[in-house]
Amino acid sequence: MMLHRLSRSILFLLCIGMLSLTGCSKPVKEFHETVFTMGTLVEVTIVGEDEALTEQAYSAILDDFNYMHNTWHPWQRNALMRVNGLLKTGATFSIAPSIMPLIKQSQILSEQSQGLFNPAIGQLIKLWGFHQDNLEEIFGPPEDDEIKSLLKTLPKMNDIKFKNLSMFGTNEDLHLDFGGFAKGMAVDATIEHLKEFGIQNAIINAGGDLRAIGKHGERPWRIGIRDPRNEGVFASVEISGDESVFTSGDYERFFTSDGTRYHHIIDPRTGYPATQTRSVTIIHGEAATADAAATALFIAGPEQWHEIAQAMGIKYVMLIASNGDVHMNPAMAKRIEFTNKPSSIKLSQPL
Ligand code: ADP
Ligand code: MG
């Protein structure tokens, strides 16, 4: 399973690489490195900069990634594990500075998404088995009774309270899992760090989810969006300035049992994987918001995505429904270039 994920990621990164190369008219000085961190392949591209500065900046963001991987991993002995252990007890404890930005930002995004994006449901993720690297060890979905019993008092992000420099939890099932968010936070943090080095043109691409700044030579960056059902590129968009493109899909992590596919994006209302969507792509300034919104809108599905996108302040959405219909807002439709025009495109009201 891991290998399968890895090979798909590599293939897709190559596709994006090719797209960006076709986007330039004359050769530009280009730095490319790929590193496996935070459970995914991260490709860093920096263009048009002095070699020494580029190397220095790259090495600094490698340290950032290592730090974030070690502190934010949901099921390892680290700062997040300490917080998770204490939140369950209800005891008041000193704030963990390394985890605070994740908690504070995701509390706001969770609220805006009407709880569809909910990183407090780690227990439910664990019950499904999606906390493990190797999904081949999962033999089927959990018992319905167990899911229902967790749903009765399912934790919310606002079950975490703050008092001066302390914090405490008000739900004994609280378990933070930032699997749908940490990647976005890490991409934001490392792009900001590159900017501090004076770098103006770069992409940080974490397994197909990315933030791009500046341009690729004289042209905008061209970004490929993965086809949720076949290998290859479904569509592409041009990015210039500073924007993130994040996709959540049912093909990323899943297991199959009795012919049914169970994927890793769980609807907190039902306790089961969301059923109406194949993938959602968001374009937004910050990667963290784009990451949370992709997860939330995936769960919201074809009927509800527009409402949740408005509440989250998202301006560009493409949602591929489980029946293959492609839903977009008009502004997104203007930017998207399809590899093969889909048979059914549903344009929404403007966002
Ligand atoms: P990907 O990792 O494929 O980019 P997402 O960003 O949507 O996809 O993240 C999915 C991960 O988020 C899951 O593996 C799980 O750890 C976590 N997750 C699942 N359901 C939810 C949810 N409703 N709210 C927040 N996080 C979730
Ligand atoms: Mg996400």
Side-chain angles (χ1 to χ4, degrees), residues 45-47 49 187-188 190-204 210-217 219-221 223 239-244 285:
T45 307
I46 298 172
V47 298
E49 293 294 345
V187 168
D188 280 340
T190 45
I191 282 284
E192 292 306 334
H193 206 166
L194 287 184
K195 286 185 189 170
E196 280 168 22
F197 273 92
I199 285 169
Q200 292 173 352
N201 305 293
I203 290 195
I204 296 185
L210 57 90
R211 179 163 166 180
I213 54 172
K215 296 194 287 188
H216 186 272
R219 298 283 199 89
W221 295 102
I223 308 300
I239 300 286
S240 56
D242 183 353
E243 280 185 308
S244 307

Coordinates of all heavy atoms in Angstrom, one line a residue, residues 45-47 49 187-188 190-204 210-217 219-221 223 239-244 285:
T45 N 11.1 23.3 -5.4 CA 11.6 23.9 -6.6 C 11.9 25.4 -6.3 O 11.0 26.1 -5.8 CB 10.6 23.8 -7.7 OG1 10.2 22.4 -7.9 CG2 11.2 24.3 -9.1
I46 N 13.1 25.8 -6.6 CA 13.4 27.2 -6.5 C 14.0 27.7 -7.8 O 14.9 27.0 -8.3 CB 14.4 27.4 -5.3 CG1 13.8 26.9 -4.0 CG2 14.9 28.9 -5.2 CD1 14.8 26.9 -2.8
V47 N 13.6 28.8 -8.3 CA 14.1 29.2 -9.6 C 14.7 30.6 -9.6 O 14.3 31.4 -8.8 CB 13.1 29.1 -10.8 CG1 12.6 27.7 -11.0 CG2 12.0 30.1 -10.6
E49 N 17.6 31.8 -8.6 CA 18.4 32.4 -7.4 C 19.8 31.9 -7.4 O 20.1 30.9 -8.0 CB 17.7 32.0 -6.1 CG 16.3 32.5 -5.9 CD 16.3 34.0 -5.7 OE1 17.4 34.6 -5.5 OE2 15.2 34.6 -5.8
V187 N 3.6 23.5 4.7 CA 3.8 24.2 3.5 C 3.9 25.7 3.7 O 4.7 26.4 3.2 CB 2.8 23.8 2.4 CG1 2.9 24.7 1.1 CG2 3.0 22.3 2.0
D188 N 2.9 26.2 4.4 CA 2.9 27.6 4.7 C 4.2 28.1 5.5 O 4.8 29.0 5.1 CB 1.7 28.0 5.6 CG 0.4 28.1 4.8 OD1 0.5 28.3 3.6 OD2 -0.7 28.0 5.5
T190 N 7.1 26.7 5.6 CA 8.4 26.6 4.8 C 8.4 27.7 3.7 O 9.4 28.2 3.4 CB 8.6 25.2 4.3 OG1 7.4 24.7 3.7 CG2 9.0 24.3 5.4
I191 N 7.2 28.0 3.1 CA 7.2 29.1 2.1 C 7.5 30.4 2.8 O 8.3 31.2 2.2 CB 5.8 29.1 1.4 CG1 5.7 28.0 0.3 CG2 5.6 30.5 0.8 CD1 6.4 28.3 -1.0
E192 N 7.0 30.6 4.0 CA 7.3 31.9 4.7 C 8.8 32.0 4.9 O 9.4 33.0 4.8 CB 6.5 32.0 6.0 CG 5.0 32.2 5.8 CD 4.6 33.4 4.9 OE1 5.4 34.3 4.8 OE2 3.5 33.3 4.3
H193 N 9.4 30.8 5.3 CA 10.8 30.8 5.6 C 11.6 31.1 4.3 O 12.6 31.8 4.3 CB 11.2 29.4 6.2 CG 12.4 29.4 7.0 ND1 12.8 28.4 7.9 CD2 13.4 30.4 7.2 CE1 13.9 28.8 8.5 NE2 14.3 29.9 8.1
L194 N 11.2 30.5 3.2 CA 11.9 30.8 1.9 C 11.8 32.3 1.6 O 12.8 32.9 1.2 CB 11.3 30.0 0.7 CG 11.5 28.5 0.7 CD1 10.9 28.0 -0.6 CD2 13.0 28.2 0.7
K195 N 10.7 32.9 1.9 CA 10.5 34.3 1.6 C 11.5 35.1 2.5 O 12.1 36.1 2.0 CB 9.1 34.8 1.9 CG 8.1 34.4 0.9 CD 6.7 35.0 1.3 CE 5.6 34.5 0.5 NZ 4.3 35.0 1.1
E196 N 11.7 34.7 3.7 CA 12.6 35.4 4.6 C 14.0 35.3 4.1 O 14.8 36.2 4.3 CB 12.6 34.7 6.0 CG 11.4 35.2 6.9 CD 11.2 34.4 8.1 OE1 12.2 33.7 8.6 OE2 10.1 34.4 8.7
F197 N 14.3 34.3 3.3 CA 15.7 34.2 2.7 C 15.7 35.1 1.5 O 16.8 35.2 0.8 CB 16.0 32.7 2.3 CG 16.6 31.9 3.4 CD1 15.8 31.2 4.3 CD2 18.0 31.9 3.6 CE1 16.4 30.4 5.3 CE2 18.6 31.2 4.6 CZ 17.8 30.4 5.4
G198 N 14.6 35.7 1.1 CA 14.6 36.6 -0.1 C 14.3 35.8 -1.4 O 14.4 36.4 -2.4
I199 N 13.9 34.6 -1.2 CA 13.5 33.8 -2.4 C 12.1 34.2 -2.9 O 11.2 34.3 -2.1 CB 13.6 32.3 -2.1 CG1 15.1 32.0 -2.1 CG2 12.9 31.5 -3.1 CD1 15.5 30.7 -1.6
Q200 N 12.0 34.5 -4.2 CA 10.8 35.0 -4.7 C 10.0 34.1 -5.6 O 8.8 34.3 -5.8 CB 11.1 36.3 -5.5 CG 11.6 37.4 -4.6 CD 12.1 38.6 -5.4 OE1 12.2 38.6 -6.6 NE2 12.4 39.7 -4.7
N201 N 10.7 33.1 -6.2 CA 10.0 32.2 -7.1 C 10.3 30.7 -6.6 O 11.4 30.2 -6.7 CB 10.6 32.3 -8.5 CG 10.5 33.8 -9.0 OD1 9.4 34.3 -9.1 ND2 11.6 34.5 -9.1
A202 N 9.2 30.0 -6.2 CA 9.4 28.7 -5.6 C 8.1 28.0 -5.5 O 7.0 28.6 -5.5 CB 10.1 28.8 -4.2
I203 N 8.2 26.6 -5.5 CA 7.1 25.8 -5.2 C 7.5 24.8 -4.1 O 8.5 24.2 -4.2 CB 6.6 25.0 -6.4 CG1 6.0 25.8 -7.5 CG2 5.6 23.9 -6.0 CD1 5.2 25.1 -8.5
I204 N 6.6 24.6 -3.1 CA 6.8 23.5 -2.2 C 5.6 22.6 -2.4 O 4.4 23.0 -2.2 CB 6.9 24.0 -0.7 CG1 8.2 24.8 -0.6 CG2 6.9 22.7 0.2 CD1 8.6 25.2 0.7
L210 N 0.3 21.9 -2.9 CA 1.4 22.8 -3.0 C 1.0 24.2 -2.8 O -0.1 24.6 -2.9 CB 2.1 22.6 -4.4 CG 1.2 22.9 -5.6 CD1 1.2 24.3 -6.0 CD2 1.6 22.0 -6.7
R211 N 2.1 25.0 -2.5 CA 2.0 26.5 -2.5 C 3.1 27.0 -3.4 O 4.2 26.5 -3.3 CB 2.1 27.1 -1.1 CG 2.0 28.6 -1.1 CD 1.7 29.1 0.3 NE 1.9 30.5 0.5 CZ 1.7 31.2 1.6 NH1 1.4 30.5 2.7 NH2 2.0 32.5 1.6
A212 N 2.7 27.9 -4.3 CA 3.7 28.5 -5.3 C 3.8 30.0 -5.1 O 2.8 30.6 -4.9 CB 3.3 28.1 -6.7
I213 N 5.0 30.5 -5.1 CA 5.2 31.9 -5.1 C 5.9 32.4 -6.4 O 6.7 31.6 -6.9 CB 6.0 32.4 -3.9 CG1 7.3 31.7 -3.7 CG2 5.1 32.3 -2.6 CD1 8.2 32.3 -2.6
G214 N 5.6 33.6 -6.8 CA 6.3 34.2 -8.0 C 5.9 33.5 -9.3 O 4.8 33.0 -9.5
K215 N 6.9 33.3 -10.1 CA 6.7 32.7 -11.5 C 7.8 31.7 -11.8 O 8.8 31.6 -11.1 CB 6.7 33.9 -12.5 CG 5.6 34.9 -12.3 CD 5.4 35.8 -13.5 CE 6.6 36.8 -13.7 NZ 6.3 37.7 -14.7
H216 N 7.6 31.1 -12.9 CA 8.6 30.2 -13.5 C 9.2 30.9 -14.7 O 8.7 30.8 -15.8 CB 8.0 28.8 -13.8 CG 9.0 27.8 -14.3 ND1 9.4 27.7 -15.5 CD2 9.6 26.9 -13.5 CE1 10.3 26.7 -15.6 NE2 10.5 26.2 -14.4
G217 N 10.3 31.6 -14.5 CA 10.8 32.4 -15.6 C 9.9 33.5 -15.9 O 9.4 34.2 -15.0
R219 N 6.9 33.0 -17.3 CA 5.5 32.5 -17.3 C 5.0 32.1 -15.9 O 5.8 31.9 -15.0 CB 5.5 31.1 -18.1 CG 5.9 31.3 -19.6 CD 4.8 31.9 -20.4 NE 5.0 31.6 -21.8 CZ 4.6 30.5 -22.4 NH1 3.9 29.6 -21.7 NH2 4.8 30.3 -23.7
P220 N 3.7 32.1 -15.8 CA 3.1 31.6 -14.5 C 3.5 30.1 -14.3 O 3.8 29.4 -15.3 CB 1.6 31.8 -14.7 CG 1.4 32.4 -16.0 CD 2.6 32.4 -16.8
W221 N 3.4 29.7 -13.1 CA 3.5 28.2 -12.8 C 2.3 27.5 -13.4 O 1.2 28.1 -13.3 CB 3.5 28.0 -11.3 CG 4.7 28.5 -10.6 CD1 4.7 29.6 -9.8 CD2 6.0 27.9 -10.5 NE1 6.0 29.8 -9.2 CE2 6.8 28.8 -9.7 CE3 6.6 26.8 -11.1 CZ2 8.1 28.5 -9.4 CZ3 7.9 26.6 -10.8 CH2 8.7 27.4 -9.9
I223 N 0.1 24.1 -12.9 CA -0.1 23.1 -11.9 C -1.1 22.0 -12.4 O -2.2 22.3 -12.8 CB -0.7 23.7 -10.6 CG1 0.2 24.9 -10.1 CG2 -0.8 22.6 -9.5 CD1 1.6 24.6 -9.8
I239 N -0.8 29.5 -12.0 CA -0.7 30.2 -10.7 C 0.4 31.2 -10.8 O 1.5 30.9 -11.3 CB -0.3 29.2 -9.6 CG1 -1.2 28.1 -9.4 CG2 0.0 29.9 -8.3 CD1 -2.5 28.4 -8.7
S240 N 0.1 32.5 -10.4 CA 1.3 33.4 -10.2 C 1.0 34.3 -9.1 O -0.2 34.5 -8.8 CB 1.6 34.2 -11.5 OG 0.4 34.9 -11.9
G241 N 2.0 34.8 -8.4 CA 1.8 35.5 -7.2 C 2.1 34.6 -6.0 O 3.2 34.1 -5.9
D242 N 1.1 34.3 -5.3 CA 1.2 33.4 -4.1 C -0.1 32.7 -3.9 O -1.0 33.3 -3.3 CB 1.6 34.3 -2.9 CG 1.9 33.5 -1.7 OD1 1.7 32.3 -1.7 OD2 2.4 34.1 -0.7
E243 N -0.1 31.5 -4.3 CA -1.4 30.7 -4.1 C -1.1 29.2 -3.8 O 0.0 28.7 -4.2 CB -2.2 30.7 -5.4 CG -3.0 32.0 -5.6 CD -3.9 32.0 -6.8 OE1 -3.4 31.7 -7.9 OE2 -5.1 32.3 -6.6
S244 N -2.0 28.6 -3.2 CA -1.9 27.1 -2.9 C -3.0 26.4 -3.6 O -4.1 26.9 -3.9 CB -2.1 26.9 -1.4 OG -1.3 27.7 -0.6
G285 N -5.0 31.3 -0.9 CA -3.8 31.9 -0.5 C -3.0 31.0 0.4 O -2.0 30.4 0.0

